[in-house]
Amino acid sequence: MKKEKKWPEAWHEVKVGAMVFEPCSAREYLTGSWRAQRPQFNNLRCIKCGLCYIFCPEGCISQNAEGFFEADLDYCKGCGICAHECWPGAITMVEEG
Amino acid sequence: MAKRVGMEVAIAVAEAVGMCNVDVAACYPITPQSHIAEHLSDIVADGRSDTEYVTVESEHSAISVVAGASGTGARAYTATSSQGLMLMHEILPIISAMRLPICIAVANRAVSGPLNILNDHSDIIPQRDAGWIVMFSENGQEAIDLSIQSFKIAEREDVLLPVAVNIDGFQLTHMVEPVEFPEQKAINKFLPPRKPYATLHPDKVVTMGAFAMSDIFAEVMKAKDEALKNSKKAILEVWAEWERTFGRRYRPVETYKADDAETLLITMGSMGETAEIAVNELREKGLPVGLVKLRLWRPFPFEEFRAAVRKAKLLIVTDRAVSFGGPGGPVYGEIRSALYNEKERPDVYDYIIGLGGRDVAVDDFTAMVEKAVKDHKKGLKKDYEFYGVREK
């Protein structure tokens, strides 16, 4: 079976009323493309307090196997709240690109 | 055979809507629409219709309620006027973008300020770019017929757009006229239950009105524009079916003695009937005058309009609204741009008349035509003019 295209490529392909028939498809909308700055984690200074994880409004920061934190750049919008809240100064925002 | 009765037009519209098997109606009464809202609630309270009638605290809520109801697959109806329509404005483009087939009666009334409750078209004109199908009725019978047809047009799978039926406030809504109701059986046959394209239902998930950024927004808008333009075909089909079933003919552009006319009056809404009398009087005086009436305002019937005015030398547009700081009257601007690419086009004059309920009598039409024809013979190029405005 041919897999249905996820996105309309031309106006003819827009569904009536631009309705979305697939639940949870917002996950495929990679909001990370809006980003101008990305967070850089310095694990030498990280104390694993998890403030960045708690404060991230996108919920895109997670803890890895070693207990350090990393951002999912598919969804990180680069707001910089994690860097602002990180009091040990383990996170710095760097220019994208 | 359907019976002919004398009835106030607003009451008659409510009666007609009551016969349309409407699932949800939400109305906030506002002059001059109130009688529609009141009588529709009477019909529901008397058990004559199983409509869910929602009493809301504002027009913004009324249109939101019917939008939600329409999303679940219900046949939904509301009616409003003037400031109420302005309050609904925020929701109107959303409904057409979500392709919800809602029907709304607009009892046309001037927009404040100064506060005025009487008739002109300044409430519906600002809504013209909302993506709705907009049509005007000329008398009570048309108000009833268009109200019933509007559900059929809106709910067709190749349309799925909201429809606004305009009924001139007081001039029409509060007149007692002889009207004929189609039989309930015939309406049931003409208007079967709605078959929704998609419904909000927990078992079959759908998102309506989702978020879209610049990467897809323009495509969605283009799709909406094409849908509205294409709806004309469906409207014509519904009108053809109406004519076959009930014998009354509807066209996007109606003409009266226009075939051999050099000068054409152009009206929209209830003024058409007065203008017909004026045309008769002018014809008796030997002036080759005719009348073109716009029934469909959106989608604008370009082809039909061009065909109707092809032979004329002078068009006299009458506008019941002002496009402030713009081309004068909104209908005037529309008509001039409809003719701009034609090789041979008539001159177009514009009169803004009947604002805020000011009387437009037969004499006014004859005076306007005579003045315009005289000026035109002198070769005067004119722009718009407020007819009958007192000057010193």
Side-chain angles (χ1 to χ4, degrees):
Chain A
M1 205 182 100
K2 209 179 139 198
K3 206 175 166 238
E4 210 187 321
K5 264 190 289 192
K6 284 236 160 68
W7 304 102
E9 279 164 19
W11 70 266
H12 312 83
E13 293 176 358
V14 172
K15 289 210 175 76
V16 169
M19 287 181 203
V20 182
F21 292 92
E22 207 179 324
C24 304
S25 58
R27 189 177 295 166
E28 282 144 37
Y29 204 83
L30 305 182
T31 44
S33 62
W34 305 355
R35 191 174 55 238
Q37 289 186 319
R38 68 164 78 209
Q40 206 167 53
F41 292 78
N42 179 358
N43 289 347
L44 294 174
R45 301 186 86 163
C46 178
I47 59 162
K48 301 181 181 176
C49 67
L51 278 180
C52 55
Y53 164 80
I54 291 166
F55 277 95
C56 175
E58 278 300 299
C60 70
I61 293 179
S62 55
Q63 203 169 16
N64 62 21
E66 295 158 39
F68 291 114
F69 290 87
E70 48 198 25
D72 185 342
L73 293 178
D74 276 346
Y75 301 105
C76 169
K77 290 176 183 159
C79 67
I81 289 175
C82 54
H84 181 83
E85 297 298 335
C86 181
W87 62 269
I91 306 175
T92 42
M93 299 301 290
V94 297
E95 285 294 324
E96 188 65 50
Chain B
M1 184 63 194
K3 222 171 90 183
R4 221 167 151 76
V5 289
M7 196 181 272
E8 191 194 293
V9 171
I11 305 282
V13 167
E15 281 286 335
V17 170
M19 296 166 94
C20 287
N21 188 22
V22 175
D23 298 307
V24 177
C27 296
Y28 188 86
I30 176 171
T31 302
Q33 164 265 41
S34 309
H35 291 182
I36 301 179
E38 288 163 9
H39 194 69
L40 197 56
S41 71
D42 272 355
I43 291 171
V44 175
D46 292 347
R48 289 203 281 137
S49 164
D50 62 356
T51 306
E52 189 71 39
Y53 189 92
V54 188
T55 47
V56 281
E57 87 291 359
S58 80
E59 284 87 353
H60 193 279
S61 307
I63 195 78
S64 304
V65 163
V66 293
S70 190
T72 66
R75 177 170 290 163
Y77 181 81
T78 185
T80 191
S81 186
S82 183
Q83 306 305 121
L85 189 60
M86 303 310 256
L87 188 54
M88 285 181 176
H89 176 78
E90 191 219 348
I91 310 292
L92 303 187
I94 300 175
I95 289 173
S96 53
M98 285 158 70
R99 307 286 294 276
L100 299 173
I102 287 161
C103 294
I104 174 169
V106 181
N108 300 110
R109 159 186 152 184
V111 161
S112 297
L115 180 61
N116 183 306
I117 57 160
L118 300 174
N119 167 240
D120 69 30
H121 292 162
S122 54
D123 54 357
I124 191 67
I125 293 295
Q127 325 300 335
R128 105 189 132 169
D129 299 335
W132 285 53
I133 293 171
V134 181
M135 41 180 90
F136 283 81
S137 51
E138 195 182 324
N139 52 41
Q141 189 63 54
E142 291 192 5
I144 294 178
D145 291 355
L146 290 175
S147 297
I148 300 170
Q149 293 158 9
S150 67
F151 293 103
K152 176 121 178 170
I153 293 168
E155 291 168 10
R156 271 181 61 133
E157 200 146 274
D158 51 351
V159 178
L160 290 174
L161 282 167
V163 179
V165 175
N166 288 277
I167 307 159
D168 278 337
F170 294 107
Q171 252 91 331
L172 267 186
T173 54
H174 287 56
M175 288 298 138
V176 177
E177 286 190 12
V179 289
E180 192 182 291
F181 288 99
E183 305 250 348
Q184 182 68 59
K185 262 192 200 159
I187 294 183
N188 293 350
K189 209 172 152 218
F190 177 79
L191 199 63
R194 180 182 163 197
K195 284 194 202 112
Y197 170 76
T199 56
L200 294 169
H201 194 281
D203 292 346
K204 201 167 175 253
V205 186
V206 56
T207 303
M208 295 182 188
F211 172 82
M213 281 291 275
S214 50
D215 52 356
I216 193 65
F217 193 79
E219 280 72 18
V220 176
M221 291 300 106
K222 166 87 176 164
K224 176 171 158 179
D225 185 39
E226 290 295 324
L228 187 57
K229 281 198 275 188
N230 291 336
S231 70
K232 198 178 85 189
K233 193 170 154 276
I235 295 168
L236 293 178
E237 281 172 24
V238 170
W239 281 344
E241 189 186 339
W242 183 267
E243 190 186 346
R244 282 197 302 277
T245 322
F246 301 104
R248 285 185 291 274
R249 183 163 67 164
Y250 286 84
R251 286 170 300 191
V253 173
E254 303 281 352
T255 55
Y256 180 72
K257 297 191 176 175
D259 292 341
D260 60 336
E262 277 176 27
T263 305
L264 283 174
L265 260 171
I266 292 162
T267 63
M268 203 160 75
S270 67
M271 283 194 305
E273 296 208 327
T274 319
E276 275 183 18
I277 303 170
V279 166
N280 288 343
E281 284 189 6
L282 289 161
R283 285 259 170 184
E284 274 172 31
K285 287 185 191 169
L287 267 175
V289 181
L291 175 63
V292 170
K293 298 180 271 194
L294 284 176
R295 158 150 308 117
L296 201 56
W297 170 239
R298 278 294 180 276
F300 193 86
F302 288 104
E303 276 169 55
E304 289 85 346
F305 183 79
R306 287 188 195 120
V309 304
R310 193 175 296 133
K311 287 184 213 150
K313 290 190 184 124
L314 174 63
L315 305 187
I316 303 167
V317 181
T318 53
D319 256 301
R320 297 201 86 164
V322 191
S323 176
F324 297 101
V331 182
Y332 177 55
E334 210 81 0
I335 280 172
R336 280 205 304 187
S337 64
L339 298 171
Y340 188 78
N341 283 334
E342 300 294 287
K343 260 194 195 135
E344 277 183 38
R345 49 180 189 238
D347 283 342
V348 191
Y349 287 6
D350 184 32
Y351 288 106
I352 291 167
I353 56 170
L355 295 184
R358 186 169 290 192
D359 250 0
V360 186
V362 176
D363 289 352
D364 296 317
F365 280 110
T366 50
M368 276 188 287
V369 172
E370 279 167 352
K371 186 165 177 282
V373 169
K374 213 168 107 193
D375 288 352
H376 190 243
K377 271 191 187 141
K378 280 189 210 155
L380 285 177
K381 286 272 173 201
K382 271 212 307 194
D383 221 350
Y384 69 99
E385 176 183 333
F386 279 73
Y387 175 79
V389 165
R390 288 192 293 275
E391 285 184 63
K392 239 183 179 176

